[in-house]
Amino acid sequence: MHEMGIALQIIEIAAASIPAEMKPVQVETIRIRVGKMSAVIPENLNFCFEVASKDTDVEGATLCIDEVPVVARCKSCNHQWTLSGPAFRCESCQSGDIELISGQELDIVSIEIAT
Ligand SMILES: [Zn+2]
């Protein structure tokens, strides 16, 4: 389970992005985008976040996870498709020269603070 490392990373980034003069503050929601390629299981990540955020600046916040599908593009024929599992060949021309154009991201989209 690698979700704990990711949860710690999110907490660190989120906590660092809260200006010192605003602390202590109640963070309500942290919205993130996670590519399906990163193999994050949202339930696990939520659980890890809850455990790891205790006694931090973001304790009590809800983690809102948007999953981003994995999209690949073939460099040979320019075909683009959404992957449902691992794929190393273009489904159109069978070329192995493909690149992933989304699905590997792990971004914090927004941090909502209670007012
Ligand atoms: Zn192709």
Side-chain angles (χ1 to χ4, degrees), residues 54-72:
K54 286 228 172 4
D55 299 320
T56 72
D57 288 335
V58 297
E59 181 172 6
T62 305
L63 194 61
C64 196
I65 304 168
D66 293 332
E67 283 189 283
V68 183
V70 183
V71 177

Side-chain angles (χ1 to χ4, degrees), residues 74 77 79 90 92-93 95:
C74 172
C77 73
H79 180 63
C90 171
S92 170
C93 73
S95 162

Side-chain angles (χ1 to χ4, degrees), residues 26-96:
Q26 177 59 52
V27 177
E28 280 193 332
T29 312
I30 299 174
R31 183 177 291 272
I32 61 166
R33 276 158 52 89
V34 177
K36 287 217 162 136
M37 204 61 164
S38 56
V40 166
I41 298 162
E43 295 79 52
N44 287 355
L45 186 53
N46 269 320
F47 174 76
C48 290
F49 178 82
E50 218 182 293
V51 172
S53 64
K54 286 228 172 4
D55 299 320
T56 72
D57 288 335
V58 297
E59 181 172 6
T62 305
L63 194 61
C64 196
I65 304 168
D66 293 332
E67 283 189 283
V68 183
V70 183
V71 177
R73 188 180 75 86
C74 172
K75 289 184 187 172
S76 301
C77 73
N78 230 6
H79 180 63
Q80 249 182 47
W81 73 106
T82 303
L83 302 184
S84 47
F88 305 98
R89 279 190 190 287
C90 171
E91 58 173 21
S92 170
C93 73
Q94 305 303 312
S95 162

